[in-house]
Each structure stands twice: as C-alpha cells, then as structure tokens.
Amino acid sequence: MWQQTAEEIIMDEICVCGKNTTRKTSWTDLNLGRRYVVCKKFKQVDGCAYFMWLDPPMCTRARQIIPGLLRRVNRFEEDLKKKSKRERLFWVALLVSWAIMFIMAM
C-alpha cells in the first residue's frame, strides 16, 4: 500500500507476502537512477513478485545521454586512480634515490 503526499511517497515496509520490502536504485541504461521497491524474496525460488517503481520514467533523451555521461565519469575516475598510483610510485622512487645518494655521500 502506498499513498502520495505533496512532498513524497510513503510506502508500507511489509510486502503482501509478509516479508520486508527493499528500496533499490536501478543502474540499467533504460532506467538509470530510477528508484523502486521489491520484496526481499523477489526473483527467488518460490519467491514473491512484488515490484513497484517509485520514480516516473525518464524522458527518451535523458535515457540516451546519461549512460554515456556515466561511462565518461567512470573512465575519468579510473584514469585518476592510475595517475595517483603512478604519482605515489614516483615519490617512492624519488625518496629511495635520495636515500641512496645520502648513504653514498657519507
């Protein structure tokens, strides 16, 4: 059961089968970022089929653009991680070389 107020949707936390429901977010290209509620036994053997969208569907243009933008952001974050690892390796190598030069100077 649910009811809509002026500000938000209020959901019962119990499914029709008696199990608790779970709020999730879809990360598929067609429903990216769209929230939904499912029974905890959803898609299990002898499970429940309770499923309900909380958010309305996105417009076609958003479904075309957003997945590409997310892929770009993910690639950018991966590149930053690689750069950070290379930078740490550089600093370690620099410190080791300074330590060797210090020892050789003694």
Side-chain angles (χ1 to χ4, degrees):
M1 241 11 235
W2 65 278
Q3 62 187 27
Q4 185 159 357
T5 65
E7 297 176 358
E8 63 180 17
I9 296 175
I10 301 170
M11 299 290 306
D12 287 341
E13 298 296 326
I14 306 294
C15 176
V16 292
C17 72
K19 299 291 181 190
N20 290 334
T21 59
T22 304
R23 292 179 189 207
K24 296 186 176 190
T25 302
S26 172
W27 293 108
T28 63
D29 284 351
L30 290 178
N31 293 300
L32 201 55
R34 195 171 173 197
R35 296 174 303 154
Y36 60 96
V37 177
V38 293
C39 178
K40 288 199 175 185
K41 292 186 76 175
F42 186 70
K43 288 192 176 180
Q44 292 181 2
V45 176
D46 296 328
C48 182
Y50 180 75
F51 176 94
M52 187 172 72
W53 289 110
L54 294 177
D55 297 329
M58 283 192 279
C59 69
T60 304
R61 185 70 177 145
R63 285 188 302 214
Q64 292 171 347
I65 293 174
I66 292 175
L69 292 174
L70 277 176
R71 282 190 289 275
R72 276 177 153 173
V73 167
N74 289 338
R75 257 194 322 264
F76 180 71
E77 288 175 348
E78 287 298 319
D79 289 346
L80 283 178
K81 286 179 186 176
K82 289 177 186 176
K83 182 179 178 183
S84 177
K85 287 179 184 178
R86 280 185 272 153
E87 191 173 306
R88 280 193 299 257
L89 183 61
F90 169 77
W91 284 107
V92 168
L94 185 62
L95 288 173
V96 168
S97 67
W98 285 350
I100 291 172
M101 288 176 54
F102 179 74
I103 291 171
M104 298 285 281
M106 293 176 118

